[in-house]
Amino acid sequence: MDGKRKAAADDSEGSAAAQSANKHRRKLFDKLKANHASSNSNSNSSTMLLVTPFSSSECNKDTLLCICGFREAIGTFIDNTDFFGADGLDCAAELGQYASQLSPSNSTSGGSAAVYWRPNKPKMVLMAVSRVASRHNCACRPDQIKALIATQGPHPAMYVLLIAEAREHVLPMLVAVVRNFPIYNMKSRQQAEGRVTIALYHNDELLPLEVHEKLSHVAQAVRNAACLVDTPSIEMHTDRYLECIHDMVNGLDIEMEVVSGTDLRERGFGGMWNVGKAATHLPHFVVLKYCPHGNAAPFQAQMNPGPSTLVWVGKGIVYDTGGLALKSKDGMFGMKADCAGASAILTAFVCAVQGRMTFGHNLIAILCLAENAIGPDALRPDDIITLYSGRTVEINNPDAEGRLVVSDGVAYASQLLNPTLIVDMCTLTGAQSSATGRLIGAIVSNREDLEQWAVEAGKLSGDCVFPCIYTPELNLQEYNSKVADMKNSAKDRGSALVSTAGLFIEANLAKEFTAKEGGWLHIDMCAPAMVGERATGYGVALLLQLLHVYSNQPFVP
């Protein structure tokens, strides 16, 4: 760059507009960290969200009151409670007539809404969802709940009554509402303040305060996971992500270990180091341990075992350019979402420990943080690297980097942590959306029972998943290499790519772990991690529900 051009660039960077933008970013990041430390306050969001019981006396003429559930459940609630007959609302009879006008529950046309309003009274919107749900979908239709709530837009005083016909519907209904209110926002204009208060009912019964408190932690975890993903890597690079982890786990009774930068190379984390070494901010391998029973829990293979060790491993690529297999401009946009697996695992881990949802198990989270950047030190095609497992890998696609970092994570876990179960969660393949769609994640597992638990947990959480084939004897040959143990990308693009990518990760598990039938579950959530241009927090509710299913515990007693 010549002197004049450099001076002009320096002047541009020092302009008032640039300084204002940088100041805005610094302020936003400070608020983001403050938000992670709070369970209910979202200081950098235009919307505060609370999960707590409320009464009709809190509603006034400026209130928007949404009542959501199956049509029959809404009718039962109106008929059997005094919510609408007390504190001046006095509208139960008329509201019941409006409820009867909602679409029948067997309608295939989607949810329906009816608006009831009187002068100087709260505006009320009845929202009925369809009972039509296939066996692979969540029965309470969180997709429709999210869409119905979205029609009302931001509101300064929004109250939501979720009327669950069954207790197992409470969690997915709540998460569906929460996804309409993301935290991250960099708009320069001041956003209107909003407040959303959610109360939870089982038919006409207000659920106990402790249930609201538990679900409040879940709601915040989902929003925080989405916020980490929504925040671009100019702010949420690997070093700042590590700062956020420190802030979020501060005060928890856990152990934390971090291996960073060149220490990764020295300690044998070949996947982590080689993927992230070209970036300005070097990679971090983070281990969070909540181990009330010590690090060497007894191995148990059956469901609902005694105290055992569960390990979650998350792909945390804060930005994926594709490396030297550079993505196109359209293919690269949105690649800040490549840390969605680690983000879901981090916030679910914090939620589980805070909310005492580990049920006596040791719970360990491993976060593989790196940026797949381009530069003189970037990983090249034809390079051969050695992963933590000891396997050598010939690189034939630098854009298949996620499996390299996650393989280091599962190898570390299976060699050193004596786990009963390893779950890895990744935005791993674009093929996932072709296999299971934009809203449903794909899973691969070495055990049929674990596969079934995951499907059940998906339907109970609203973060649905569906199994892909598990045939390592057919698929692993796709990674054959003449000069190394394996390549990092399948040669045949029609070879069940979701399964094949997951099997690369499984191939790096310790032999001792697989020999004793240790459970391994791979979750590819590439598409559901982000809908449109907003992160969803997908995976948080799934992981927490999987803990409950594994421990044979209902989420809402």
Side-chain angles (χ1 to χ4, degrees):
M1 180 182 291
D2 61 51
K4 289 183 179 179
R5 289 174 62 196
K6 185 177 187 301
D10 290 344
D11 182 65
S12 174
E13 290 170 1
S15 68
Q19 289 177 359
S20 175
N22 289 332
K23 182 178 180 181
H24 191 176
R25 285 194 177 96
R26 288 193 297 270
K27 183 178 179 181
L28 177 61
F29 179 65
D30 290 340
K31 289 182 177 180
L32 174 63
K33 293 198 295 183
N35 172 63
H36 290 324
S38 168
S39 62
N40 275 325
S41 175
N42 303 297
S43 52
N44 69 313
S45 170
S46 59
T47 301
M48 175 180 287
L49 189 143
L50 303 171
V51 182
T52 185
F54 62 86
S55 68
S56 55
S57 62
E58 299 178 48
C59 303
N60 56 47
K61 63 182 180 62
D62 298 318
T63 297
L64 172 63
L65 179 60
C66 300
I67 305 99
C68 188
F70 292 133
R71 187 177 77 163
E72 295 82 359
I74 293 173
T76 299
F77 178 79
I78 293 171
D79 293 340
N80 295 349
T81 69
D82 61 358
F83 190 95
F84 301 101
D87 300 312
L89 290 183
D90 193 24
C91 61
E94 293 178 64
L95 206 59
Q97 294 177 2
Y98 273 74
S100 66
Q101 299 172 17
L102 294 167
S103 297
S105 291
N106 61 356
S107 171
T108 59
S109 60
S112 64
V115 179
Y116 176 76
W117 179 82
R118 295 175 299 170
N120 298 316
K121 297 291 183 180
K123 176 184 176 182
M124 302 184 197
V125 184
L126 305 181
M127 301 176 173
V129 298
S130 172
R131 291 183 184 275
V132 178
S134 72
R135 68 183 187 277
H136 298 145
N137 197 3
C138 180
C140 65
R141 296 301 301 272
D143 57 311
Q144 290 187 2
I145 294 172
K146 181 179 183 297
L148 287 167
I149 293 292
T151 62
Q152 300 306 308
H155 195 277
M158 185 177 190
Y159 289 80
V160 180
L161 296 172
L162 291 178
I163 317 300
E165 190 175 74
R167 288 177 180 264
E168 58 263 30
H169 294 169
V170 173
L171 174 62
M173 292 177 74
L174 173 79
V175 172
V177 174
V178 167
R179 285 185 170 140
N180 282 291
F181 304 101
I183 294 171
Y184 183 80
N185 177 23
M186 271 288 287
K187 291 183 179 291
S188 57
R189 295 183 62 182
Q190 181 68 34
Q191 301 296 295
E193 292 294 323
R195 179 186 175 100
V196 179
T197 305
I198 304 172
L200 310 170
Y201 284 80
H202 174 220
N203 290 321
D204 54 0
E205 173 193 359
L206 177 66
L207 290 173
L209 180 61
E210 55 267 26
V211 173
H212 282 78
E213 291 174 345
K214 179 178 182 178
L215 272 295
S216 178
H217 286 299
V218 176
Q220 194 59 37
V222 171
R223 297 183 86 200
N224 282 344
C227 185
L228 287 166
V229 175
D230 277 335
T231 308
S233 59
I234 192 172
E235 300 161 62
M236 196 56 69
H237 47 70
T238 55
D239 294 334
R240 281 189 174 165
Y241 201 118
L242 184 60
E243 288 181 41
C244 283
I245 295 172
H246 279 288
D247 291 331
M248 293 178 73
V249 303
N250 184 37
L252 296 182
D253 184 20
I254 67 165
E255 298 177 24
M256 179 173 177
E257 179 184 0
V258 182
V259 185
S260 298
T262 55
D263 286 345
L264 290 163
R265 179 184 60 198
E266 301 305 317
R267 291 182 56 175
F269 292 91
M272 288 288 302
W273 168 248
N274 283 287
V275 167
K277 65 183 180 179
T280 302
H281 300 277
L282 292 177
H284 303 292
F285 185 83
V286 183
V287 183
L288 306 173
K289 296 182 181 180
Y290 176 70
C291 296
H293 299 284
N295 291 335
F299 173 78
Q300 299 282 348
Q302 74 274 17
M303 187 175 180
N304 192 25
S308 53
T309 297
L310 315 179
V311 182
W312 296 342
V313 182
K315 174 187 173 185
I317 302 296
V318 296
Y319 202 80
D320 181 16
T321 65
L324 291 183
L326 192 65
K327 296 179 185 290
S328 68
K329 68 179 180 65
D330 294 329
M332 198 183 300
F333 182 74
M335 280 297 106
K336 63 182 181 179
D338 223 12
C339 64
S343 300
I345 283 176
L346 169 61
T347 61
F349 174 86
V350 172
C351 182
V353 175
Q354 283 180 335
R356 298 182 178 87
M357 300 182 208
T358 64
F359 306 109
H361 301 304
N362 294 337
L363 182 62
I364 301 174
I366 295 177
L367 310 173
C368 306
L369 307 180
E371 179 180 352
N372 190 20
I374 55 174
D377 294 327
L379 190 62
R380 298 172 176 84
D382 298 328
D383 283 353
I384 296 177
I385 66 174
T386 303
L387 302 184
Y388 194 88
S389 64
R391 281 183 173 264
T392 57
V393 179
E394 179 186 10
I395 303 302
N396 63 334
N397 182 6
D399 195 21
E401 85 297 333
R403 65 199 66 183
L404 300 176
V405 301
V406 175
S407 290
D408 276 358
V410 301
Y412 177 92
S414 58
Q415 289 181 30
L416 301 180
L417 301 178
N418 193 26
T420 306
L421 170 64
I422 296 175
V423 178
D424 72 75
M425 181 171 280
C426 322
T427 47
L428 201 64
T429 66
Q432 176 270 309
S433 61
S434 297
T436 58
R438 297 195 177 279
L439 299 180
I440 297 177
I443 59 172
V444 182
S445 181
N446 65 341
R447 280 177 29 194
E448 187 175 8
D449 56 352
L450 183 53
E451 188 179 271
Q452 293 169 349
W453 304 342
V455 171
E456 180 184 356
K459 290 192 287 187
L460 290 174
S461 67
D463 290 347
C464 294
V465 295
F466 190 75
C468 292
I469 60 170
Y470 177 76
T471 51
E473 68 277 12
L474 300 179
N475 297 84
L476 276 178
Q477 62 186 343
E478 294 297 327
Y479 295 118
N480 287 349
S481 168
K482 299 292 186 182
V483 292
D485 293 334
M486 57 198 311
K487 294 180 180 178
N488 77 314
S489 186
K491 61 183 179 181
D492 181 358
R493 308 311 291 172
S495 60
L497 290 179
V498 176
S499 296
T500 304
L503 291 171
F504 181 98
I505 295 171
E506 188 204 21
N508 288 276
L509 293 168
K511 291 182 179 179
E512 296 79 8
F513 176 77
T514 55
K516 63 183 183 181
E517 297 182 352
W520 166 74
L521 173 67
H522 166 68
I523 303 171
D524 190 340
M525 32 83 89
C526 188
M530 183 169 279
V531 174
E533 295 182 13
R534 275 294 195 178
T536 62
Y538 177 96
V540 174
L542 173 61
L543 289 166
L544 294 172
Q545 186 63 263
L546 188 60
L547 264 178
H548 286 72
V549 170
Y550 180 80
S551 304
N552 200 22
Q553 297 286 335
F555 206 97
V556 177

